[in-house]
């Protein structure tokens, strides 16, 4: 534990650019994950390439005005009491629930291409409880445009396509289990809530949820479906001993045991991903990779995380940028003021000239035709 904490600390504060993101990813995925919420607050933003010195502001009350998803979000958040620490005072929980509503609505308002789905709040609350309101907005926005993007389409088509990866994995590893589930016609809907909430909705202990979030944040967007496959494979004896009936098998699988060996399952999911990568399964899953926004954008997103500055460098650069921006703004204001004075002087000069000209014209008109001029005015 001490050695792992030291390696994480070294990766975060190393004096040379860029941040050692690969070490942070290995730490998040390996046994025990990131160990504490304090470490998560420092590492999670790095895994998503978030500038910690340029976070979105806290949402104002206007974020709730005329929002099409407001009522549904409120209903879902009100039902999320079990996601908060059991001994948390009701007043504190109420404050966090209000923040949770605002976080979700703010991300949706900033990204009109995204569509809310029930279960989205389970992801949002996991982030809020660890990193706080402003960082949660930044992280949720990034996740929504990358890892969770396929779940945020107007229809469920992309989500169902992602679920389609589950059965080909099972077929590769355990053909007998695969055949049993095909005969039972159970499908993959039992794993829907696992996938779209990153298991946050189905696990009762937050320590297990956060351990999985460490893993998923450091992995490919499809890793949750590989973990789902690892869980089904782990329970293959239970499944095969169940009556080969859709309702019975679905009932068994949809109720996930709370005492699963998570570290073992994470290792197995990683092994499954290495042996049967998405590119190998895409045809069987009836999904071309380019149709999945989560998959198609992941490589570029992954590359972007490799060029992050350490926090102390980022802070210095941010301050320098702010100072430079302030200087530019001041120069523009001074230039604008000078420009305004020049414009005013020009207008005054032009007005005086036009006034003199009009007076001359009037005087000439009065001399040549006073009756005509009086008719015009």
């Amino acid at each position: 534990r001490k050695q792992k904490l030291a390696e994480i600390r070294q990766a975060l504060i190393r004096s040379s650019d860029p941040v050692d993101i690969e070490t942070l990813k290995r730490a998040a995925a390996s046994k025990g994950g990131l160990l504490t919420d304090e470490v998560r607050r420092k590492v999670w933003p790095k895994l998503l390439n978030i500038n910690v010195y340029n976070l979105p502001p806290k949402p104002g009350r206007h974020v709730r005005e005329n929002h099409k998803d407001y009522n549904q979000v409120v209903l879902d958040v009100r039902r999320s009491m079990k996601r908060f620490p059991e001994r948390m005072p009701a007043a504190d929980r109420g404050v966090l629930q209000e923040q949770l509503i605002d976080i979700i609505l703010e991300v949706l308002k900033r990204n009109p291409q995204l569509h809310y789905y029930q279960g989205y709040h389970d992801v949002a609350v996991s982030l809020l409880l660890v990193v706080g309101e402003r960082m949660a907005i930044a992280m949720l926005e990034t996740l929504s445009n990358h890892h969770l993007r396929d779940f945020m389409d107007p229809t469920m088509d992309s989500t169902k396509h992602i679920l389609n990866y589950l059965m080909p994995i099972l077929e590769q590893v355990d053909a007998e289990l695969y055949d049993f589930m095909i005969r039972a016609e159970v499908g993959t809907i039992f794993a829907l809530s696992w996938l779209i909430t990153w298991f946050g909705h189905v696990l009762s202990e937050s320590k297990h949820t956060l351990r999985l979030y460490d893993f998923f944040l450091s992995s490919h967007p499809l890793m949750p479906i590989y973990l789902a496959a690892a869980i089904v494979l782990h329970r293959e004896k239970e499944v095969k001993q169940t009556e080969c009936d859709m309702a019975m098998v679905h009932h068994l699988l949809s109720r996930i045991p709370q005492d699963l060996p998570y570290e073992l399952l994470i290792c197995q999911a990683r092994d499954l991903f290495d042996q049967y990568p998405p590119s190998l399964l895409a045809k069987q899953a009836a999904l071309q990779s380019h149709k999945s926004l989560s998959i198609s954008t992941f490589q570029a997103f992954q590359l972007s995380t490799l060029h992050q500055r350490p926090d102390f460098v980022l802070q210095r650069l941010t301050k320098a940028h702010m100072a430079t921006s302030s200087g530019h703004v001041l120069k523009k204001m001074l230039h604008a003021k000078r420009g305004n004075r020049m414009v005013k002087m020009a207008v005054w000069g032009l007005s005086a000239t036009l006034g003199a000209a009009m007076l001359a014209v009037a005087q000439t008109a009065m001399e040549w035709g006073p009756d005509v001029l009086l008719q015009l005015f």
Side-chain angles (χ1 to χ4, degrees):
R1 180 185 173 95
K2 288 183 179 179
Q3 182 180 354
K4 188 173 196 178
L5 288 172
E7 289 175 356
I8 293 172
R9 192 176 300 111
Q10 185 62 31
L12 286 169
I13 67 173
R14 58 181 289 185
S15 58
S16 59
D17 285 351
V19 168
D20 189 357
I21 196 70
E22 291 301 329
T23 294
L24 297 180
K25 286 182 177 181
R26 285 195 299 272
S30 61
K31 186 176 180 180
L34 295 175
L35 302 173
T36 70
D37 285 356
E38 182 182 359
V39 175
R40 289 184 177 102
R41 280 190 284 274
K42 296 175 181 177
V43 176
W44 279 6
K46 293 299 180 188
L47 296 177
L48 294 181
N49 193 23
I50 289 171
N51 183 346
V52 298
Y53 298 105
N54 188 27
L55 297 177
K58 289 187 177 182
R61 303 303 298 179
H62 66 278
V63 76
R64 303 187 180 199
E65 295 174 0
N66 303 317
H67 200 293
K68 63 182 179 65
D69 296 308
Y70 172 74
N71 291 331
Q72 186 61 58
V73 171
V74 170
L75 286 173
D76 291 343
V77 169
R78 296 286 180 259
R79 290 194 290 256
S80 67
M81 289 182 61
K82 73 182 185 72
R83 294 300 317 279
F84 294 88
E86 187 176 352
R87 297 182 180 179
M88 177 177 284
D92 293 345
R93 185 177 63 244
V95 170
L96 288 172
Q97 286 182 310
E98 293 302 311
Q99 289 181 357
L100 182 58
I101 293 169
D102 289 344
I103 286 169
I104 293 170
L105 295 178
E106 178 69 14
V107 172
L108 294 174
K109 191 168 186 177
R110 289 161 61 99
N111 299 268
Q113 77 280 9
L114 302 178
H115 297 264
Y116 179 75
Y117 64 87
Q118 289 183 277
Y120 187 65
H121 69 288
D122 282 296
V123 178
V125 71
S126 299
L127 302 179
L128 173 63
L129 291 174
V130 174
V131 302
E133 186 177 13
R134 292 178 65 197
M135 180 62 78
I137 294 172
M139 289 187 63
L140 186 63
E141 183 170 30
T142 299
L143 284 173
S144 300
N145 282 293
H146 293 281
H147 296 65
L148 307 177
R149 183 61 184 85
D150 288 314
F151 313 143
M152 307 196 75
D153 275 351
T155 69
M156 289 284 291
D157 291 346
S158 295
T159 301
K160 287 186 285 188
H161 285 150
I162 299 299
L163 281 169
N164 284 346
Y165 276 90
L166 179 58
M167 295 304 285
I169 298 172
L170 299 180
E171 184 180 19
Q172 293 284 342
V173 181
D174 190 332
E176 186 179 345
L177 174 63
Y178 169 81
D179 290 340
F180 180 90
M181 293 179 66
I182 291 296
R183 292 200 308 276
E185 298 182 336
V186 68
T188 57
I189 296 300
F190 65 86
L192 176 62
S193 63
W194 307 358
L195 181 66
I196 65 176
T197 70
W198 279 10
F199 293 82
H201 185 71
V202 294
L203 299 183
S204 58
E205 294 191 52
S206 62
K207 65 179 182 180
H208 298 319
T209 302
L210 297 180
R211 174 65 189 99
L212 294 185
Y213 273 54
D214 291 342
F215 179 43
F216 296 148
L217 285 168
S218 62
S219 303
H220 190 280
L222 283 187
M223 193 57 80
I225 206 72
Y226 283 84
L227 184 70
I231 291 173
V232 175
L233 290 166
H234 178 74
R235 303 183 68 193
E236 58 94 12
K237 289 184 180 178
E238 292 179 78
V239 175
K240 292 175 182 176
Q241 289 171 1
T242 302
E243 182 181 346
C244 190
D245 171 76
M246 186 269 287
M248 296 294 291
V249 178
H250 177 85
H251 178 79
L252 173 72
L253 289 173
S254 61
R255 281 156 177 74
I256 190 168
Q258 298 300 309
D259 60 347
L260 291 172
Y262 294 98
E263 296 298 339
L264 174 62
L265 293 171
I266 286 172
C267 289
Q268 291 176 345
R270 294 174 69 183
D271 290 342
L272 289 172
F273 185 89
D274 291 338
Q275 293 177 46
Y276 313 108
S279 57
L280 181 68
L281 302 174
K283 187 174 181 180
Q284 292 172 274
L287 172 68
Q288 298 300 318
S289 295
H290 70 270
K291 290 184 180 179
S292 167
L293 288 171
S294 298
I295 299 172
S296 61
T297 62
F298 180 66
Q299 187 174 5
F301 172 76
Q302 194 172 36
L303 288 174
S304 73
T305 66
L306 300 176
H307 302 285
Q308 297 178 77
R309 307 282 74 85
D311 280 355
F312 72 94
V313 175
L314 191 59
Q315 185 179 33
R316 187 173 69 242
L317 292 174
T318 302
K319 287 180 178 178
H321 175 71
M322 289 174 66
T324 303
S325 298
S326 299
H328 287 324
V329 170
L330 183 59
K331 287 180 181 178
K332 286 180 179 179
M333 289 175 66
L334 290 172
H335 181 72
K337 286 182 178 179
R338 285 198 295 268
N340 287 341
R341 287 200 295 270
M342 294 294 290
V343 169
K344 288 178 180 177
M345 290 174 67
V347 170
W348 292 337
L350 182 59
S351 298
T353 303
L354 289 173
M358 286 294 292
L359 182 58
V361 169
Q363 289 176 340
T364 304
M366 289 295 289
E367 294 173 357
W368 286 92
D371 294 337
V372 174
L373 182 62
L374 289 174
Q375 289 176 13
L376 290 174
F377 291 97

